Amino acid sequence: MIFMEEKISFIKDGLRLDGRRPDELRPIKIEVGVLARADGSCYVEMGKNRVIAAVYGPREVHPRHLQEVTRAIVRYRYNMASFSVEERRRPGPDRRSYELSKVGREALEPVILTSYYPRSVIDVFVEILQADAGTRTAGINAASVALADAGIPMRGLISSCAAGKVGGEIVLDPMKEEDNFGDADMPIAMTPSGEITLLQMDGGLTIDEFHEAMELAKSGCRQIYEVQRKVLIERYSQLEGERGEQAEVTACD
Amino acid sequence: MDRIERTIVVPGDILSEDEKRSGEGTYVKDGRVFSLLYGLANYRDNRINVIPLAGKYVPAPGDHIIGIVKDITFSNWIVDISSPYDGLLHISEFPKRIDMEEMSRYLRIGSSLMARVKDVDCTMKVELTVNDRRLGPIKNGRLIEISHTRVPRLIGKGGSMIGMLKKELNCNIFVGQNGRIWVSGNEDDMDLAIKTILIIEKEAHTNGLTDRIVEFLGGEKGSRS
């Protein structure tokens, strides 16, 4: 079985299985303000990933002992819907989603000015509705736009994207097949000025490959940043735009 | 009308190369000014301010606000001020002497009141006062709530918008900095006032709003008479 998989070539005539070039992102769609009762919200599609993020707060901290006297705390919950993958996933948190909640929070917290809101909490909920490799990056992108939508002071929007190694070549934004059968996957998140707030890797890369993957992932983040920014700006540019109406931008060059 | 340059910005956008122009809602890094918020950048005078489009109200000393009593303790009313933080109104801040047992005769749980923020300390303990003739419990009229970020627009430059509304609508209007608004007048006038305020909330980010509101009120009044 495994030998059969090995025979499939991931890159044919310079194109990948889904017809992308190695340095091409999957199509992105972002909508802002999709939830009426949340303070900020955002829906993101990156390829076949579908993610919704909601931000509540700053608000009172419950339970009280988590409260910090000098700053706001940030809570980030990454959750996969039971129907988000092919085989039904047991609902509820597991080892993986605890990890992704932690790294997601740590990717966003450095840009949030938590000292503006002492003794409060900023809650971020990220729900994965459909997964196709790269849900943590899609979740972080959605959460970052939702935070801006909630009016939370930040030093910049966070954009996140992965690079991987498939069939000996470094590719941007691996999809499920490439992630499952590839040699390495490296998600990163960064600010518009290029500061990295998330860096993970599984699989193996040489130092040169690592640098190549890093540059590729950074260029992916910059492309995503442009979409995030455009969506936010266009939302209020339509003059008579009603509140709650969705600005929609599809970016696939 | 006013020719202030307004642009929509997102957090991290560069606003200026001159760090002296950093105003509210901005930060300085490496001598350059960046936006902290998703909102409207105002290039006014020699300062750049970013007015957010959303966000929670954070009380500041001197703000006039409208609160709703949510609890009563020995000597304090705990007041919801539509903010992450609660307001505290001590009985000594009431214009007349009140016995502790009689607190709920003046302000019950659920009562609304106009108050001023007396002090906010660094742990965000918010002290309120009603020791002013214009402040105190609300007994009549109606209360509506809009986003506090729209309040500056509702008041207008030097009170131009709110002054016009009070005159045109024949209503008494008190705008709390926290986004709660008290309207009192006759029923029809209040209906129109609330309708108008909600339009202002919805279109707060557009230009030439005061003129359009005057036009709208003219139309509404024409159709009524």
Side-chain angles (χ1 to χ4, degrees):
Chain A
M1 193 65 195
I2 291 170
F3 282 97
M4 276 182 61
E5 300 290 354
E6 293 281 320
K7 274 182 200 147
I8 299 170
S9 65
F10 286 100
I11 296 172
K12 211 184 245 171
D13 308 327
L15 291 179
R16 294 199 252 164
L17 292 176
D18 57 357
R20 283 186 290 159
R21 280 176 277 109
D23 62 347
E24 196 175 333
L25 286 172
R26 288 173 284 183
I28 304 172
K29 187 175 126 188
I30 303 181
E31 287 175 31
V32 197
V34 290
L35 300 173
R37 317 256 340 235
D39 295 310
S41 58
C42 177
Y43 170 74
V44 168
E45 285 180 14
M46 283 172 76
K48 281 188 253 171
N49 290 308
R50 285 154 188 241
V51 173
I52 197 161
V55 170
Y56 296 82
R59 61 182 180 181
E60 236 176 283
V61 190
H62 288 289
R64 279 302 248 287
H65 68 268
L66 295 174
Q67 191 174 80
E68 294 267 354
V69 187
T70 56
R71 62 181 199 98
I73 60 165
V74 178
R75 283 192 294 214
Y76 184 103
R77 193 181 83 137
Y78 169 100
N79 185 49
M80 272 181 124
S82 56
F83 51 81
S84 63
V85 279
E86 276 162 27
E87 192 79 23
R88 181 188 135 92
R89 186 187 160 278
R90 234 178 92 94
D94 56 5
R95 202 211 92 254
R96 180 175 170 276
S97 60
Y98 276 120
E99 176 194 320
L100 299 192
S101 299
K102 178 181 178 289
V103 298
R105 188 189 77 238
E106 288 172 353
L108 295 166
E109 217 174 356
V111 293
I112 301 174
L113 280 102
T114 51
S115 60
Y116 275 40
Y117 301 100
R119 292 199 302 129
S120 67
V121 59
I122 297 165
D123 275 312
V124 184
F125 297 96
V126 172
E127 295 291 320
I128 309 300
L129 306 177
Q130 184 171 291
D132 189 67
T135 54
R136 80 193 69 188
T137 59
I140 289 167
N141 290 329
S144 146
V145 174
L147 281 166
D149 182 40
I152 287 164
M154 293 192 286
R155 276 182 270 267
L157 291 174
I158 295 288
S159 314
S160 178
C161 167
K165 184 185 169 191
V166 174
E169 195 157 341
I170 304 297
V171 295
L172 183 61
D173 192 20
M175 73 235 181
K176 197 174 173 200
E177 293 78 5
E178 294 171 329
D179 187 34
N180 288 166
F181 305 108
D183 308 313
D185 178 30
M186 187 179 84
I188 70 160
M190 71 172 204
T191 64
S193 52
E195 290 154 308
I196 303 291
T197 61
L198 165 79
L199 175 56
Q200 291 186 300
M201 180 168 86
D202 72 15
L205 292 174
T206 65
I207 289 178
D208 288 341
E209 284 170 340
F210 171 80
H211 286 299
E212 193 189 336
M214 187 58 135
E215 281 314 310
L216 198 57
K218 276 184 169 181
S219 79
C221 288
R222 279 190 285 269
Q223 290 174 48
I224 291 166
Y225 175 74
E226 288 309 318
V227 184
Q228 290 174 310
R229 185 164 183 279
K230 199 170 160 199
V231 169
L232 284 169
I233 300 237
E234 283 188 355
R235 178 161 184 228
Y236 273 95
S237 299
Q238 322 134 312
L239 203 76
E240 249 62 67
E242 271 182 73
R243 208 177 140 63
E245 197 176 55
Q246 300 124 22
E248 210 176 282
V249 176
T250 314
C252 40
D253 50 345
Chain B
M1 202 181 71
D2 46 343
R3 223 184 275 127
I4 319 159
E5 207 186 314
R6 272 207 199 87
T7 46
I8 296 168
V9 293
V10 303
D13 278 5
I14 290 189
L15 300 173
S16 172
E17 302 284 337
D18 179 7
E19 62 180 295
K20 289 192 207 82
R21 297 189 69 191
S22 167
E24 261 173 70
T26 67
Y27 69 100
V28 175
K29 198 180 142 201
D30 302 330
R32 297 194 292 176
V33 183
F34 295 89
S35 174
L36 263 184
L37 295 161
Y38 170 38
L40 295 163
N42 272 340
Y43 297 81
R44 193 178 290 184
D45 315 324
N46 34 27
R47 263 191 194 292
I48 302 169
N49 295 319
V50 179
I51 319 273
L53 291 164
K56 291 286 168 77
Y57 169 70
V58 176
D63 281 359
H64 287 90
I65 55 146
I66 294 175
I68 295 169
V69 177
K70 62 184 237 184
D71 203 359
I72 302 176
T73 62
F74 332 97
S75 56
N76 279 299
W77 284 277
I78 297 176
V79 183
D80 167 47
I81 53 172
S82 64
S83 154
Y85 312 105
D86 286 334
L88 287 175
L89 177 65
H90 193 257
I91 23 176
S92 63
E93 293 297 338
F94 214 81
K96 67 178 195 184
R97 233 192 88 81
I98 297 175
D99 270 348
M100 283 198 315
E101 297 78 49
E102 293 201 305
M103 282 173 75
S104 58
R105 274 185 47 195
Y106 296 88
L107 281 167
R108 288 182 298 168
I109 291 176
S111 307
S112 321
L113 65 144
M114 294 180 266
R116 189 175 66 239
V117 179
K118 193 180 151 214
D119 191 34
V120 181
D121 70 6
C122 57
T123 64
M124 283 305 190
K125 191 176 102 188
V126 183
E127 289 177 58
L128 302 177
T129 178
V130 287
N131 223 335
D132 190 318
R133 271 200 303 140
R134 292 169 51 214
L135 305 174
I138 294 174
K139 295 186 180 103
N140 53 24
R142 296 189 207 165
L143 204 60
I144 54 167
E145 191 158 356
I146 62 170
S147 164
H148 88 276
T149 55
R150 308 298 201 269
V151 166
R153 208 61 213 271
L154 180 57
I155 292 170
K157 209 194 242 165
S160 57
M161 178 77 91
I162 197 72
M164 185 273 289
L165 287 179
K166 281 183 189 169
K167 206 173 76 209
E168 294 285 320
L169 289 164
N170 213 359
C171 276
N172 199 357
I173 305 173
F174 178 97
V175 184
Q177 286 294 320
N178 57 346
R180 290 206 180 114
I181 299 153
W182 172 69
V183 188
S184 117
N186 77 44
E187 292 294 318
D188 289 345
D189 288 339
M190 281 198 285
D191 283 343
L192 183 56
I194 287 170
K195 210 167 147 191
T196 315
I197 290 167
L198 293 177
I199 292 176
I200 298 173
E201 184 195 19
K202 212 162 80 180
E203 297 181 10
H205 58 287
T206 59
N207 278 316
L209 186 57
T210 313
D211 295 343
R212 256 184 300 133
I213 293 297
V214 172
E215 220 170 275
F216 166 77
L217 286 177
E220 286 283 317
K221 277 188 183 160
S223 66
R224 210 201 289 175
S225 53

